[in-house]
Amino acid sequence: MGKGKGCCASKNQKNVLLGTVPPKEPRVRDAENAETEEREIPTETGSLEVQGVVDEPTTLSQKLKVYIIFYSLYGHVEALAKKIKAGIDSVEGVEGHLFRVQETLPESILQQMQAPPKDESIPVISASELLDADALIFGFPTRFGAMAAQMKTFFDSTGQLWRAQQLAGKPAGLFVSSGTQGGGQETTAWTALTQLVHHGMLFVPIGYTFGAGMFKMEEVRGGSPYGAGTF
């Protein structure tokens, strides 16, 4: 009874209840053995010594990454991609990254078409690298009102990402190039939406947010509410 095994508390238990023997608090350390500090917490019966992790102030230093992924045969889409990167880089906390998709035409055909050499300083992207971006913008020339085969080939390589829906919820935009005014400034973009939709990406159009210039008829202008464009 008097040893604490019955209905009466033992001497040590009474001391704890009365506060004369403060219970020991566990030492708190993180997995990396972070720097700790000791501090006293006042109680009704005295003070407890607690050892805990020091909270360091955190700052958001990493910029949001927007990947600009394009195919360009004669350089028109590439020029627009570089302009888009300049605009992205002008926004605080955001940075643009240029990527090319793999060329599928043989070099002999490219020479016959008098296509300029590719800018080797711009890397060729792989499907898995899409996961590293916070947002994506795809650019391509039109081929009979739809995207060029080179870009379609790249999208076809993203099957594993689609199966796992690893790009779902990622913002994505489009920009295009066409050889004539009625050659696909709109259709090239909206026929590409199927690629984004099946991945669950969030399509971000530009609408008519670029001012009165989008309504003028005095000169030939590329682009549409679906995205930027060039001729």
Side-chain angles (χ1 to χ4, degrees):
M1 300 285 286
K3 296 184 181 298
K5 297 182 180 179
C7 60
C8 297
S10 67
K11 181 179 179 181
N12 288 337
Q13 287 176 315
K14 288 181 179 179
N15 289 337
V16 172
L17 293 174
L18 294 173
T20 57
V21 181
K24 292 184 179 181
E25 291 290 329
R27 295 165 64 91
V28 181
R29 289 181 180 271
D30 66 6
E32 300 295 333
N33 294 321
E35 179 185 355
T36 61
E37 68 174 358
E38 294 183 357
R39 61 185 183 276
E40 292 186 345
I41 299 178
T43 66
E44 293 182 357
T45 59
S47 61
L48 299 179
E49 189 178 87
V50 178
Q51 192 165 11
V53 178
V54 177
D55 293 328
E56 297 292 340
T58 57
T59 57
L60 183 61
S61 59
Q62 186 174 4
K63 292 184 177 182
L64 295 176
K65 295 182 292 185
V66 180
Y67 283 10
I68 307 159
I69 304 155
F70 67 92
Y71 172 72
S72 187
L73 181 60
Y74 291 107
H76 301 89
V77 177
E78 180 179 321
L80 184 53
K82 291 178 178 178
K83 288 289 186 181
I84 291 173
K85 181 183 185 305
I88 291 171
D89 290 341
S90 68
V91 179
E92 184 177 358
V94 187
E95 60 185 7
H97 298 264
L98 292 172
F99 293 94
R100 296 182 290 122
V101 299
Q102 186 66 54
E103 178 62 80
T104 60
L105 292 175
E107 186 61 34
S108 58
I109 299 298
L110 292 173
Q111 292 178 359
Q112 293 179 35
M113 298 176 70
Q114 299 182 351
K118 299 290 191 290
D119 185 349
E120 297 299 332
S121 67
I122 301 176
V124 174
I125 194 169
S126 64
S128 62
E129 291 177 280
L130 297 178
L131 298 173
D132 300 329
D134 296 296
L136 303 166
I137 305 179
F138 299 96
F140 35 82
T142 185
R143 296 293 184 266
F144 302 110
M147 68 171 61
Q150 288 84 349
M151 183 60 73
K152 182 60 169 63
T153 299
F154 173 74
F155 274 112
D156 288 347
S157 72
T158 63
Q160 293 299 320
L161 301 180
W162 161 79
R163 186 177 183 86
Q165 285 295 284
Q166 290 179 280
L167 299 179
K170 197 179 292 289
L174 303 168
F175 61 101
V176 303
S177 173
S178 66
T180 62
Q181 293 187 59
Q185 288 285 312
E186 290 191 343
T187 61
T188 306
W190 64 255
T191 53
L193 294 182
T194 58
Q195 314 298 317
L196 310 185
V197 168
H198 280 260
H199 276 286
M201 289 186 274
L202 304 179
F203 175 51
V204 184
I206 64 173
Y208 283 89
T209 59
F210 281 82
M214 296 188 72
F215 297 91
K216 293 182 178 180
M217 303 286 289
E218 291 81 6
E219 60 183 2
V220 176
R221 292 175 178 268
S224 73
Y226 295 95
T230 187
F231 290 105

